[in-house]
Amino acid sequence: MTAPLLAVSGLHAHYGPSHVLQGIDLAVPAGGVVALLGRNGAGKSTTLKAIMGVVRPSAGSVAFAGQAIAGEATDRVARRGIAWVPETRAIFPSLSVEEHLTLAARRGGWGLDRIYDRFPRLRERRRSGGGTLSGGEQQMLTIARAMTTAPRLLLLDEPTEGLAPLIVEEIEAMLRSLKAEGMALLLVEQNLAFALAFADHVVLIGKGRVRWSGPPADFHGAAEAQAWLAV
Amino acid sequence: MTPPASHSRHAVALLLAVLAVGYWLASGYYGKELVAETAITAILAMSLSLLVGQAGLVSLGHAAYFGIGAYALAGFGQKLGWPPALAMAAAVAVGALLALVVGWVAVRLAGVFFIMITLAVGEMIHAWFLKDRSFGGVGGMSGVPRLDLSGIGVDLADPAQFALFALAVALLVYLLLDRLVLSPFGQTLRAIHQNEERARALGCPVGRYKLAAFVVAGAVAALAGTLAAQRSAFVSPELMTWTLSGEILIVVIVGGSGSLLGVSAAAALWIGLRHQLSTMTDHWMLAMGVIFVVLVLVAGDGIDGALRGLWRRIAARRAARRAA
């Protein structure tokens, strides 16, 4: 078996005195899709942040393409080929749509034409300021911007949260086409039905630890998994 | 802020230049001095605008680079006897080098710590030139050589001609910085300013970008300093006081920190008001303070923001009238 593209093992992280991640293990194979599930506050977003180096891991290892990256500066992690689409989207209000798409572009990433073909709405709004975009447009732009950086792995934090159903469909279709192209994805998702239908592998986190992990097909039969997700 | 389309920006730049030349033509000897001083202040303010308005780095020691440029010109040109053009280029390089060294440490710090270190370094340099006798100490040093432009029939020893020369340099600096602000480099600085963590997550080496902005700002400030030294053929520690740094920061804020033309207009306002008020009252500083407080209260985004707001309102009213 070949080494996974991303291998996280025994990852711990603290926010001040609170021990948010208490030994997370997960792996994303090249071209694979892993869904990260769990209740609010379980540590899903923090796991992504710890991988990106935004939150400094206090223990454990993160390996990307066979190289240890835990504790590396965020910009170095990003240049290695991990793109992070955070929950907050983090659009730059005073940059135009097109400036967002050229800002971090790297060789091998998606060009403007490809993005505009995929998201015609962004072409219409190319000159608009980031601050004037709707939530759905912001999310499209955030994903599109990530694709301009030529990532090998995309970390997505609840990409469809709070969006109108039509936009959700569009984003989900986008994720499916990325998967079909062989992009590796680590997806934090609240929409259980979509996560189970879309992912190859599911990791369920509760209170900072992995409580269940396995193929989506087994999820509904796993009583402990249900218990950790129940509200 | 994203600048408006380039043709309207350049039209405003041209308008400002025409106004300055018009004032130059209409005014007497002292007015020409004011034009020169305004042009130099505008260059200094534009260099700080790059830091404050684009990169979000508030420096309270910017006069140090201005003063170092002036002193370096005096040192290379007068003490070492280098040709003025070479001395001027070397002085700009010294400004950049100083900014590189200071920035290396400073850009790692955020917010008030960045302000404090720029202030502290500025004061250290000021104190050194105040005490050091080799550059004249507190009394300064005269006889700084001027650029020799007799080849194109310009005599910089003539204040009127020098004023036009300084204006031309200011225009050139505007064009260069304007391109820089619009370039991917400028976009990245604005992105860092707005959300540093996000810029970093996109793979942007934030520290290096900030350092580059700091070095460019230091070099341009040093260029302004070389002009100040040539204007009076004199340098003194007055050129690098922290109060000058503060004044320039006020000019930048009043102008609308990210707008090169806004801060240039504010520089003209600053120099003009100071001249007018200081002839009227000994308490001109107090009066200037009140005026600028009112300006900032009335127009939070500075001159640039106020004019843009006015323009939008006019355009909206026109559109409404057309629709009616």
Side-chain angles (χ1 to χ4, degrees):
Chain A
M1 189 186 136
T2 54
L5 182 62
L6 178 79
V8 173
S9 76
L11 193 66
H12 288 250
H14 293 76
Y15 280 133
S18 63
H19 196 172
V20 188
L21 301 184
Q22 308 179 3
I24 299 288
D25 299 289
L26 63 84
V28 182
V33 175
V34 173
L36 204 52
L37 306 179
R39 289 188 213 171
N40 283 337
K44 307 178 300 275
S45 296
T46 308
T47 303
L48 299 192
K49 287 181 182 171
I51 293 169
M52 284 309 290
V54 173
V55 170
R56 215 183 163 76
S58 34
S61 74
V62 179
F64 181 67
Q67 288 183 298
I69 62 166
E72 249 182 351
T74 304
D75 56 306
R76 291 212 51 183
V77 174
R79 286 198 299 277
R80 284 178 181 278
I82 306 182
W84 175 45
V85 177
E87 203 180 353
T88 53
R89 291 168 201 150
I91 293 296
F92 302 113
S94 82
L95 296 191
S96 71
V97 166
E98 194 148 305
E99 284 175 329
H100 277 86
L101 297 173
T102 52
L103 182 69
R106 278 195 285 277
R107 199 179 307 166
W110 285 23
L112 287 176
D113 287 339
R114 186 166 178 193
I115 284 164
Y116 290 151
D117 287 346
R118 190 68 192 71
F119 292 115
R121 185 78 191 129
L122 293 183
R123 190 199 303 270
E124 286 168 33
R125 305 223 51 184
R126 65 210 281 182
R127 306 256 172 264
S128 307
T132 67
L133 302 180
S134 71
E137 288 164 347
Q138 287 189 15
Q139 189 58 272
M140 287 175 203
L141 180 56
T142 312
I143 295 175
R145 179 178 61 186
M147 295 314 297
T148 66
T149 67
R152 295 156 71 192
L153 168 67
L154 207 50
L155 312 181
L156 295 142
D157 200 345
E158 303 197 17
T160 59
E161 209 218 350
L163 298 180
L166 267 176
I167 309 283
V168 170
E169 273 173 36
E170 193 166 345
I171 302 272
E172 288 179 357
M174 164 81 185
L175 296 182
R176 284 199 189 89
S177 72
L178 283 177
K179 181 186 179 185
E181 286 170 33
M183 175 65 63
L185 303 171
L186 177 56
L187 172 72
V188 169
E189 184 58 73
Q190 294 277 17
N191 180 345
L192 188 63
F194 174 69
L196 294 181
F198 180 56
D200 309 321
H201 190 84
V202 171
V203 174
L204 177 76
I205 302 186
K207 292 191 176 162
R209 293 206 180 113
V210 174
R211 303 298 175 170
W212 187 85
S213 124
D218 296 351
F219 184 81
H220 282 299
E224 72 273 34
Q226 306 291 320
W228 275 102
L229 205 57
V231 183
Chain B
M1 294 299 289
T2 312
S6 33
H7 56 270
S8 56
R9 272 195 336 278
H10 293 335
V12 175
L14 198 65
L15 179 70
L16 285 178
V18 167
L19 282 177
V21 172
Y23 183 78
W24 180 88
L25 284 170
S27 65
Y29 168 82
Y30 199 72
K32 293 179 173 59
E33 287 286 331
L34 288 183
V35 171
E37 201 175 344
T38 297
I40 292 169
T41 308
I43 296 172
L44 185 57
M46 283 191 280
S47 73
L48 187 59
S49 159
L50 183 70
L51 282 187
V52 177
Q54 304 299 329
L57 297 169
V58 178
S59 165
L60 204 45
H62 209 53
Y65 307 91
F66 181 68
I68 275 291
Y71 269 96
L73 175 68
F76 294 132
Q78 191 183 355
K79 284 183 170 293
L80 301 181
W82 293 7
L86 179 64
M88 213 172 140
V92 170
V94 168
L97 193 67
L98 175 67
L100 184 68
V101 174
V102 176
W104 188 262
V105 182
V107 300
R108 287 155 213 269
L109 306 168
V112 81
F113 297 103
F114 180 86
I115 296 177
M116 290 318 292
I117 195 159
T118 54
L119 176 62
V121 170
E123 277 306 274
M124 275 157 52
I125 292 169
H126 175 236
W128 195 81
F129 280 101
L130 211 54
K131 298 283 177 205
D132 185 69
R133 297 302 307 166
S134 60
F135 281 93
V138 67
M141 192 171 126
S142 55
V144 179
R146 295 191 175 92
L147 215 50
D148 180 15
L149 296 181
S150 54
I152 53 168
V154 175
D155 176 16
L156 291 186
D158 172 27
Q161 295 188 33
F162 185 87
L164 282 188
F165 170 70
L167 202 59
V169 176
L171 207 57
L172 195 68
V173 167
Y174 160 72
L175 289 173
L176 289 175
L177 288 182
D178 182 69
R179 292 205 66 160
L180 190 70
V181 164
L182 287 187
S183 71
F185 174 77
Q187 285 172 22
T188 306
L189 286 184
R190 286 196 293 285
I192 291 171
H193 185 179
Q194 281 167 34
N195 192 334
E196 190 168 324
E197 182 185 273
R198 186 83 278 261
R200 201 170 266 140
L202 285 169
C204 162
V206 167
R208 255 179 278 167
Y209 272 89
K210 285 183 176 175
L211 183 59
F214 202 76
V215 168
V216 172
V220 175
L223 174 69
T226 64
L227 293 180
Q230 289 177 73
R231 184 164 84 93
S232 50
F234 174 71
V235 294
S236 83
E238 287 287 299
L239 292 172
M240 39 172 74
T241 56
W242 75 272
T243 49
L244 177 61
S245 298
E247 282 172 21
I248 297 302
L249 190 56
I250 292 172
V251 166
V252 166
I253 290 167
V254 166
S257 57
S259 160
L260 296 171
L261 294 171
V263 305
S264 300
L269 188 67
W270 177 265
I271 299 296
L273 267 181
R274 189 169 68 184
H275 169 64
Q276 283 302 323
L277 292 174
S278 62
T279 55
M280 287 157 59
T281 164
D282 282 344
H283 300 293
W284 60 274
M285 288 276 263
L286 184 70
M288 295 252 312
V290 172
I291 289 173
F292 279 85
V293 166
V294 170
L295 264 177
V296 169
L297 285 178
V298 172
D301 296 329
I303 294 174
D304 174 66
L307 289 181
R308 270 202 246 181
L310 191 66
W311 182 250
R312 265 196 302 274
R313 244 172 289 154
I314 292 171
R317 198 170 300 167
R318 243 193 241 159
R321 204 176 301 154
R322 212 170 296 146

